[in-house]
Amino acid sequence: MADNLPLQIQAYNYLKDKILSDQLEPHTLYSETKIAKEIGISRTPVRDAIRSLSQAGYVEVVPSKGFMIRHLGEYELQESIQVRCAIEGFCIHIIAKEADSEKGKELLSELEKLIQKQEDALEKNDQKAFMEYDHEFHLLFIHYVDNQEFNQLFQKLMHLIHLTTKKSLSFKGRIEETLKEHRGILTALKNLDEAVAYSALIEHLIMPLKMPIVVKEEK
């Protein structure tokens, strides 16, 4: 097992990079044997890597056949946003109550820095960097409450979050609106206004549901 670990990591990173760079297509069955040949390693570490990617929410294993990458369908979009609203909404309630504490002020400072980084990315027209800072912004809410179950659930959603963010930010003006919404959430937290912070967060999270970012599948 220890001998296979470096090869498993190699296979994991190889597949994750191909997924995040859109080199693997949704609704397509991929063979672990073919992947192993591409990398030049045996099937066992590839199989272990696929299992890890499945646990992390990137792929779905098809027993005895291979695997498929998770895609952003209507059902997946709605469920992932509902889970985010539940988890991040709870976190915002906690943060708003503690925003004037030492820990809370430290968080607000980090959120401010990320918003400034997003503003810089917007000026440079760097959508990739903007999206990375967007993910970091929301992860700070999750990490603040230090709940391992929240961390694991959120990590499993990261691929769908990535797809949702990428597609929603492609709409004209959405990057600017996202920045404005982040600023609104932060302002409400600074004002210790729990209700406004929660409302602003939920409205921000459900915005993709109001946008045609999912191509409806043929029945």
Side-chain angles (χ1 to χ4, degrees), residues 6-71:
L7 294 179
Q8 179 185 341
I9 293 174
Q10 180 183 346
Y12 182 95
N13 291 336
Y14 176 81
L15 285 169
K16 183 177 177 181
D17 287 344
K18 288 180 78 71
I19 292 170
L20 294 180
S21 59
D22 299 322
Q23 295 182 53
L24 297 183
E25 298 290 334
H27 311 295
T28 301
L29 185 65
Y30 291 96
S31 163
E32 62 183 41
T33 301
K34 182 179 178 181
I35 298 298
K37 288 181 179 179
E38 286 180 13
I39 306 175
I41 61 178
S42 66
R43 289 176 56 188
T44 299
V46 172
R47 187 181 302 116
D48 291 339
I50 292 171
R51 187 180 301 114
S52 296
L53 286 164
S54 174
Q55 294 171 348
Y58 287 95
V59 305
E60 295 177 356
V61 175
V62 182
S64 303
K65 293 184 178 180
F67 68 95
M68 301 175 72
I69 66 168
R70 292 185 72 187
H71 68 284

Side-chain angles (χ1 to χ4, degrees), residues 125-141:
N125 196 29
D126 190 344
Q127 183 172 320
K128 182 178 180 181
F130 187 95
M131 186 165 62
E132 290 175 356
Y133 297 139
D134 180 273
H135 293 160
E136 289 182 36
F137 185 87
H138 289 275
L139 279 170
L140 284 177
F141 299 150

Side-chain angles (χ1 to χ4, degrees), residues 18-194:
K18 288 180 78 71
I19 292 170
L20 294 180
S21 59
D22 299 322
Q23 295 182 53
L24 297 183
E25 298 290 334
H27 311 295
T28 301
L29 185 65
Y30 291 96
S31 163
E32 62 183 41
T33 301
K34 182 179 178 181
I35 298 298
K37 288 181 179 179
E38 286 180 13
I39 306 175
I41 61 178
S42 66
R43 289 176 56 188
T44 299
V46 172
R47 187 181 302 116
D48 291 339
I50 292 171
R51 187 180 301 114
S52 296
L53 286 164
S54 174
Q55 294 171 348
Y58 287 95
V59 305
E60 295 177 356
V61 175
V62 182
S64 303
K65 293 184 178 180
F67 68 95
M68 301 175 72
I69 66 168
R70 292 185 72 187
H71 68 284
L72 188 65
E74 287 184 276
Y75 179 78
E76 290 80 11
L77 176 65
Q78 290 178 5
E79 277 211 334
S80 64
I81 288 178
Q82 288 170 0
V83 172
R84 290 188 68 184
C85 285
I87 295 177
E88 292 188 52
F90 175 84
C91 294
I92 281 290
H93 281 306
I94 299 298
I95 294 167
K97 292 179 186 299
E98 302 177 2
D100 59 347
S101 67
E102 184 176 344
K103 181 182 178 183
K105 289 177 180 178
E106 191 175 310
L107 172 67
L108 297 185
S109 176
E110 291 301 312
L111 292 172
E112 181 69 54
K113 290 176 184 176
L114 282 173
I115 288 178
Q116 291 174 358
K117 288 181 178 180
Q118 285 190 300
E119 290 173 344
D120 291 340
L122 176 59
E123 288 182 8
K124 297 175 182 176
N125 196 29
D126 190 344
Q127 183 172 320
K128 182 178 180 181
F130 187 95
M131 186 165 62
E132 290 175 356
Y133 297 139
D134 180 273
H135 293 160
E136 289 182 36
F137 185 87
H138 289 275
L139 279 170
L140 284 177
F141 299 150
I142 308 299
H143 294 161
Y144 182 88
V145 301
D146 195 25
N147 183 309
Q148 292 305 309
E149 292 295 331
F150 284 180
N151 291 338
Q152 290 176 20
L153 280 170
F154 205 84
Q155 184 59 44
K156 193 167 185 179
L157 290 174
M158 280 308 299
H159 179 49
L160 293 181
I161 292 172
H162 170 83
L163 292 177
T164 302
T165 305
K166 184 176 181 179
K167 291 191 176 184
S168 63
L169 291 182
S170 67
F171 281 78
K172 185 178 180 180
R174 183 56 196 151
I175 291 181
E176 291 82 357
E177 287 299 315
T178 295
L179 187 55
K180 188 185 299 183
E181 290 161 12
H182 281 186
R183 177 64 70 183
I185 295 168
L186 178 57
T187 298
L189 290 174
K190 287 181 175 179
N191 293 336
L192 307 180
D193 196 328
E194 182 180 344

